[in-house]
């Protein structure tokens, strides 16, 4: 399995161009199941999770092409209504095919997505919503058979603004005649991008003055063309890597307002940032990094996906910073690996207390999940000496051309596979 070898101590300098958003591309690709017409999607990042989703679309019966970040999806005969465990276990987001399949065929037979390293990640909100839309959900030997004689509009209040449940229920409601109202939905920018795409396909979705999603079901949806929104988590990740290495980096082709709270927290930590409509410049800063407390929360709160990279920055702060991870129950797996690199971190349940140190030291570490993996790469960029990060496949799920982008910013990082490459 691939590893990263990083020789740290280099300040990142230059400009990095942000890719399309993984967490918008995945649901948008799934939304193409709602039509037999051809859909064309641009700025689809070349990631493991995207390739898995394309495999899922092909398995279900779609014809897919993928060239230079452009994907086309079109019908190629009738669609299947089930997914094999093999595919779902690779990526939880596969569960989102339930919404479109239920909407079109009133049936979906999908393996329940297991948990993952960061938490149990149940899908109760999805299933409860489907039941309120008139479906029955029968769990049997790890699968859930969702079926409905007739789907009916409903007024649904999500008990938690789940991103996936919002998107799954949205896609299902598009084809249900009548008015469905979704309340307490996720407001992440990726959800907005999915809504934009669904409306381009002929859906009728709007947001009312209370922030509720109002969906008027339509008979049929048609093909559409769409360019995926910039990845705000990749944006935040590079901003934090620039800050931690005391570099001077312009993060371009992004949507700075999607990272508003991160930018505000970074300024409070002592950094100077120039922000335009499409770019953020992190100025080199040699001063003390102030400890800043964060709590992860649904958008526009501090993104849980940036908690791990933020922790790496706080390992170098001047004092003790508190981090409250209030979204996932087990999202500190990067902490013990950072401690092995000399960080001082104390975690208890959903709270981590990080007491800054002067320097991190290189070590051999392993990634347990996507964002924790990036946090370890970031630590390797800051630490004196050569850091080896194992299980890079986690990181490949969500960062397109990571080592190329970092190398272009002056980092010394290379990928190698001890089973294949000469050391
Ligand atoms: C999406 O996951 C993202 N993934 C995650 O990004 C992100 O961390 C998460 O939203 C929160 O922002 C994709 O978009 C592909 P949730 P999702 O449903 O939809 C609980 C990354 O690194 N919950 O908003 O699965 C759940 O257990 C990934 O790119 C229920 O209890 O997240 C969690 O504690 C990691 N019941 C919380 O809600 C449900 O039915 C947030 O989950 C659904 C969720």
């Amino acid at each position: 399995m691939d590893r990263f070898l990083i020789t740290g101590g280099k300040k990142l300098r230059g400009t990095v161009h942000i890719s399309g958003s993984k967490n918008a591309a995945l649901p948008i690709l799934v939304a193409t199941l709602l039509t037999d017409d051809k859909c064309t999607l641009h700025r689809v990042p070349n990631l493991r999770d995207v390739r898995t989703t394309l495999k899922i679309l092909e398995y279900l019966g779609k014809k897919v092409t993928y060239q230079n970040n452009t994907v086309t999806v079109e019908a190629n005969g009738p669609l299947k209504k089930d997914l094999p465990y093999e595919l779902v276990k690779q990526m939880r987001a596969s569960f989102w095919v339930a919404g479109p399949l239920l909407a079109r065929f009133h049936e979906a037979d999908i393996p329940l997505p297991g948990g993952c390293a960061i938490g149990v990640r149940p899908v109760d909100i999805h299933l409860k919503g489907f039941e309120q839309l008139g479906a029955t959900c029968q769990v049997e030997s790890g699968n859930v058979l969702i079926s409905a004689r007739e789907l009916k509009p409903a007024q649904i209040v999500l008990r938690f603004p789940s991103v996936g449940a919002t998107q799954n229920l949205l896609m299902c409601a598009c084809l249900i005649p009548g008015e469905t109202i979704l309340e307490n939905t996720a407001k992440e920018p990726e959800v907005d991008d999915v809504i934009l795409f669904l409306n381009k396909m002929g859906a009728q979705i709007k947001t009312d003055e209370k922030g509720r999603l109002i969906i008027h079901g339509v008979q049929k949806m048609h093909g559409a063309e769409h360019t995926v929104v910039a990845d705000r988590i990749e944006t935040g990740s590079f901003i934090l890597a620039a800050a931690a290495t005391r570099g001077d980096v312009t993060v371009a082709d992004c949507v700075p307002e999607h990272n508003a709270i991160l930018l505000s927290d970074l300024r409070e930590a002592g950094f100077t940032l120039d922000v335009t409509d499409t770019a953020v410049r992190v100025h080199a800063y040699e001063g003390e990094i102030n400890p800043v407390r964060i709590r992860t929360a649904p958008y526009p709160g501090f993104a849980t996906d940036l908690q791990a990279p933020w922790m790496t920055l706080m390992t170098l702060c001047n004092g003790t910073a508190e981090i409250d991870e209030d979204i996932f129950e087990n999202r500190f797996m990067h902490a013990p690996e950072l401690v092995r690199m000399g960080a001082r971190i104390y975690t208890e349940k959903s709270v981590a207390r990080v007491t800054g140190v002067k320097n991190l030291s290189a070590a051999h570490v392993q990634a347990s999940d996507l964002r924790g993996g990036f946090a370890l790469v970031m630590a390797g960029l800051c630490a004196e000496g050569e850091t080896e990060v194992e299980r890079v496949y986690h990181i490949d799920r969500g960062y397109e051309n990571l080592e190329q982008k970092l190398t272009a910013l002056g980092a010394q990082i290379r990928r190698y596979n001890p089973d294949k490459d000469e050391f």
Side-chain angles (χ1 to χ4, degrees):
M1 287 195 261
D2 287 358
R3 299 178 182 183
F4 279 147
L5 272 182
I6 303 160
T7 304
K10 310 208 173 356
K11 298 179 188 324
L12 298 183
R13 288 189 187 295
T15 298
V16 61
H17 295 275
I18 294 302
S19 302
S21 162
K22 163 178 93 80
N23 292 350
L26 300 185
I28 285 171
L29 286 167
V30 168
T32 63
L33 292 167
L34 287 164
T35 180
D36 286 335
D37 293 357
K38 180 174 182 177
C39 293
T40 303
L41 303 165
H42 302 292
R43 202 181 184 185
V44 178
N46 185 7
L47 302 167
R48 197 155 71 90
D49 279 4
V50 165
R51 295 190 293 272
T52 302
T53 304
L54 298 182
K55 268 192 245 158
I56 285 167
L57 294 178
E58 286 175 326
Y59 171 86
L60 290 171
K62 287 287 190 180
K63 183 162 152 303
V64 168
T65 68
Y66 188 26
Q67 201 94 37
N68 306 327
N69 295 109
T70 290
V71 170
T72 65
V73 183
E74 48 196 316
N76 187 26
L79 288 178
K80 289 195 183 82
K81 292 136 193 113
D82 68 288
L83 268 191
Y85 180 59
E86 261 322 295
L87 282 171
V88 175
K89 76 175 185 184
Q90 289 177 39
M91 189 187 66
R92 302 183 69 266
S94 347
F95 190 71
W96 301 351
V97 306
L101 294 182
L102 186 61
R104 291 194 66 190
F105 311 110
H106 290 187
E107 186 193 326
D109 184 3
I110 320 269
L112 277 173
C116 72
I118 64 177
V120 171
R121 303 186 74 179
V123 288
D124 60 295
I125 302 172
H126 302 239
L127 300 182
K128 181 157 181 257
F130 289 140
E131 286 168 350
Q132 288 176 270
L133 293 169
T136 55
C137 302
Q138 214 180 325
V139 177
E140 217 165 276
S141 48
N143 271 37
V144 57
L145 177 59
I146 310 168
S147 57
R149 252 201 319 287
E150 190 206 350
L151 290 169
K152 55 188 187 358
Q155 185 151 349
I156 300 171
V157 184
L158 278 67
R159 71 170 174 78
F160 178 86
S162 151
V163 172
T166 300
Q167 291 168 160
N168 223 343
L169 296 173
L170 250 183
M171 291 191 279
C172 186
C174 284
L175 293 175
I176 300 177
E179 178 179 87
T180 293
I181 298 176
L182 300 181
E183 202 164 338
N184 192 32
T185 53
K187 303 286 182 274
E188 272 67 3
E190 296 77 41
V191 176
D192 292 342
D193 212 35
V194 172
I195 292 170
L196 203 53
F197 179 62
L198 290 169
N199 282 338
K200 282 182 183 176
M201 293 174 77
Q204 290 182 20
I205 305 167
K206 60 183 193 319
T207 306
D208 73 2
E209 67 293 341
K210 293 181 192 154
R212 303 179 306 172
L213 292 179
I214 314 293
I215 306 109
H216 285 279
V218 295
Q219 282 295 318
K220 209 165 154 20
M221 290 166 77
H222 51 73
E225 185 154 6
H226 183 72
T227 298
V228 174
V229 69
D231 192 316
R232 74 187 158 99
I233 305 303
E234 186 193 23
T235 301
S237 301
F238 273 99
I239 289 171
L240 285 162
T245 59
R246 310 309 192 124
D248 180 349
V249 173
T250 296
V251 179
D253 305 333
C254 65
V255 184
E257 74 185 61
H258 289 167
N259 291 97
I261 195 154
L262 174 69
L263 303 183
S264 150
D265 288 341
L266 266 180
R267 287 186 169 116
E268 193 184 334
F271 292 87
T272 302
L273 308 170
D274 295 344
V275 180
T276 67
D277 286 351
T278 60
V280 174
R281 179 181 177 186
V282 182
H283 284 273
Y285 170 64
E286 295 301 341
E288 297 287 6
I289 297 173
N290 305 320
V292 172
R293 177 186 181 185
I294 62 150
R295 301 186 75 109
T296 62
Y299 189 86
F302 195 99
T304 174
D305 293 348
L306 291 174
Q307 175 260 107
W310 176 265
M311 185 183 284
T312 297
L313 177 69
M314 287 295 112
T315 65
L316 299 167
C317 80
N318 171 36
T320 297
E322 184 173 299
I323 294 173
D324 293 66
E325 172 51 66
D326 290 344
I327 300 289
F328 287 102
E329 67 269 27
N330 186 34
R331 203 165 194 178
F332 288 146
M333 268 93 48
H334 44 284
E337 297 300 299
L338 291 170
V339 166
R340 298 185 59 247
M341 296 180 72
R344 288 176 56 201
I345 305 170
Y346 172 76
T347 62
E348 189 172 12
K349 296 202 179 74
S350 66
V351 179
R353 277 192 191 79
V354 185
T355 301
V357 293
K358 269 267 152 281
N359 293 302
L360 293 174
S361 46
H364 193 141
V365 291
Q366 64 180 27
S368 310
D369 64 278
L370 164 54
R371 309 302 175 180
F374 184 88
L376 297 178
V377 169
M378 228 175 108
L381 295 171
C382 301
E384 290 298 323
E386 185 168 83
T387 294
E388 183 158 336
V389 180
E390 286 192 22
R391 301 186 185 171
V392 167
Y393 62 87
H394 285 295
I395 303 170
D396 290 339
R397 298 187 61 165
Y399 291 95
E400 185 179 45
N401 302 329
L402 181 61
E403 64 266 42
Q404 291 83 346
K405 289 182 177 179
L406 286 173
T407 303
L409 293 174
Q412 203 170 327
I413 176 172
R414 73 182 176 85
R415 178 188 294 258
Y416 91 104
N417 179 332
D419 309 329
K420 280 194 253 162
D421 307 341
E422 288 302 305
F423 183 70

